[in-house]
Amino acid sequence: MQVENEYGSYGNDTKYLTYLQNSMIERGIDVLLFTSDGPLDWMLQGGMIPGVFATVNFGSRTTEAFAKLEEYQPNQPLMCMEYWNGWFDHWGEEHHTRDAEDAANVLDDMLSQQGSVNFYMFHGGTNFGFYNGANHSDKYEPTITSYDYDVLINESGEPTDKFYAVRSVIEKYEKLDPLQLPEPTPKKDFGVVEMTEKMHLFDALASLSEPVETIVPETMEAMGQAYGFILYTTHVSGPRNNVELVCQDVHDRALIFVDDEYQGVLDRWGQGKIVLDIPKEGAQIKVLVENMGRVNYGPKLRDSKGITEGIRLGNQFLYHWTVHTLPLDDIEALEFQKGQRTEGPSFYKGILQVDKPADTFVDFEGWTKGVVFVNGFNIGRYWEIGPQKTLYLPAPILKEGENEIVIFELHDVAKAQITLRDTPDLG
């Protein structure tokens, strides 16, 4: 059982690690305890516990990694606890792939040195809902919905070339029985689904959220919200000419509206600038913020969402806000009807007729950015910047007969329809 994971990447509180070890033992855990860290001096110094078995995480340079582990733990078994044989993707970046032969050769290096190995990942899977994480080194980098990871078993559960290459390496060291695999999960092209009904977010607020009055625009966490979106509304006086609207340290991406007219995007990357002219009678400002995933590695783990420091016009902070939390964990109350608004963040609804459920992949060509619900289940986010172009829709989410698809699109669409294909496109 693992005491801590890569703690040496974060800190050097060995008393904390020892406390965790003792807490496990006191509660009756009597199996082998271990830690896992990167194969660097400072990581092992911060993450190891005296008397607890240490392992290392890496994806290449096996001899170097195992040698560093032996420096700190001589005459003990060698183990790679996380063998990174693939990698994950961030929005706006390239899709990561790794040659199967290269991954198999690194495994061969481990086994030839009598090392043990645990694959990270063997089967990647999917970040359904809002459960993707993010990284932050030089900049904020949210992870895409797919966690296919380009590994041995792909996102929809089928073996890849890497699977067979790894199996061939293992056969050099261990006699294996003939391979017997289950039949591939059926995939189906369901074709085009028209999104026939629409409801603008601002017309749907009453069915999604109870408004809360606050002095400052509080974060999601302060409002008791974990995931999704949050809407801040206030009224400002006028006239004010050529004044910049600033969402100070927004986490993570904000759509700005003045008197319900879309003005643009302000985001965590510092892109975009919005300059306003407020008329004499004043104006209403709405700020819709998307939580795009919390940082889950590195020194920036304290990652509050929403407006973290304040919203200002020029140098003047704005006070007295109406806040709508929008976790979108239950969209059943949505009543699709013709609203007065036709552009901007809206829910689109369509019906998919299914004779027999099968895995499929939803293609969003012509859409911009949003979230998809199938029979109430959030299958994840899409974004035109890629790399991911389709979302995995597993058969168990579907049912025979009518299946409701609801898309929350933040911007506009070229044509309100989607295509359900039998093959994925991860970029």
Side-chain angles (χ1 to χ4, degrees), residues 229-393:
F229 300 79
I230 188 167
L231 179 67
Y232 305 93
T233 305
T234 194
H235 187 275
V236 296
S237 59
R240 306 185 192 205
N241 295 320
N242 197 37
V243 60
E244 183 180 0
L245 180 75
V246 178
C247 293
Q248 193 159 307
D249 197 29
V250 60
H251 289 193
D252 299 303
R253 186 175 186 268
L255 278 65
I256 311 301
F257 303 85
V258 175
D259 290 334
D260 287 352
E261 292 294 324
Y262 175 65
Q263 304 296 311
V265 172
L266 298 175
D267 61 32
R268 192 167 177 170
W269 298 275
Q271 301 177 99
K273 183 176 181 178
I274 295 177
V275 178
L276 302 176
D277 289 320
I278 305 297
K280 182 178 180 180
E281 63 272 18
Q284 183 189 69
I285 294 177
K286 282 190 171 84
V287 179
L288 176 64
V289 183
E290 178 183 4
N291 168 355
M292 291 193 60
R294 288 184 177 81
V295 175
N296 55 21
Y297 181 84
K300 296 184 180 291
L301 292 179
R302 185 176 180 179
D303 189 13
S304 298
K305 295 302 182 180
I307 300 298
T308 65
E309 293 187 7
I311 300 174
R312 52 188 170 87
L313 278 175
N315 287 332
Q316 184 184 72
F317 282 97
L318 303 178
Y319 292 87
H320 299 288
W321 294 84
T322 300
V323 181
H324 288 85
T325 58
L326 298 166
L328 302 187
D329 48 7
D330 183 359
I331 60 170
E332 287 189 11
L334 280 176
E335 295 181 3
F336 286 86
Q337 56 191 12
K338 188 173 181 180
Q340 295 182 356
R341 302 174 180 89
T342 58
E343 298 179 348
S346 299
F347 296 90
Y348 296 78
K349 178 181 173 182
I351 299 297
L352 168 65
Q353 292 288 345
V354 171
D355 292 332
K356 184 178 181 181
D359 282 6
T360 190
F361 303 90
V362 188
D363 189 322
F364 295 93
E365 184 177 358
W367 297 72
T368 305
K369 189 180 196 305
V371 185
V372 188
F373 304 84
V374 179
N375 294 327
F377 182 84
N378 185 339
I379 66 169
R381 314 172 198 255
Y382 63 90
W383 196 358
E384 64 178 359
I385 68 171
Q388 180 173 8
K389 297 298 184 182
T390 59
L391 286 179
Y392 176 43
L393 174 51

Side-chain angles (χ1 to χ4, degrees), residues 8-78:
S9 297
Y10 302 90
N12 65 350
D13 189 352
T14 54
K15 290 184 179 180
Y16 159 73
L17 295 175
T18 302
Y19 172 82
L20 291 184
Q21 174 196 5
N22 292 335
S23 296
M24 291 178 175
I25 294 171
E26 289 167 3
R27 287 163 175 78
I29 295 173
D30 58 1
V31 297
L32 173 73
L33 299 178
F34 72 93
T35 58
S36 185
D37 287 281
L40 298 176
D41 288 307
W42 61 280
M43 292 180 173
L44 289 167
Q45 290 166 20
M48 291 178 65
I49 307 170
V52 173
F53 182 61
T55 65
V56 285
N57 302 337
F58 59 90
S60 60
R61 298 178 3 204
T62 301
T63 299
E64 180 181 331
F66 279 165
K68 181 58 66 176
L69 178 59
E70 282 194 301
E71 284 183 34
Y72 286 85
Q73 185 175 255
N75 304 316
Q76 291 292 318
L78 301 170

Side-chain angles (χ1 to χ4, degrees), residues 410-422:
L410 290 166
H411 298 277
D412 295 315
V413 297
K415 197 171 185 180
Q417 63 181 34
I418 55 174
T419 304
L420 278 67
R421 304 169 19 176
D422 57 5

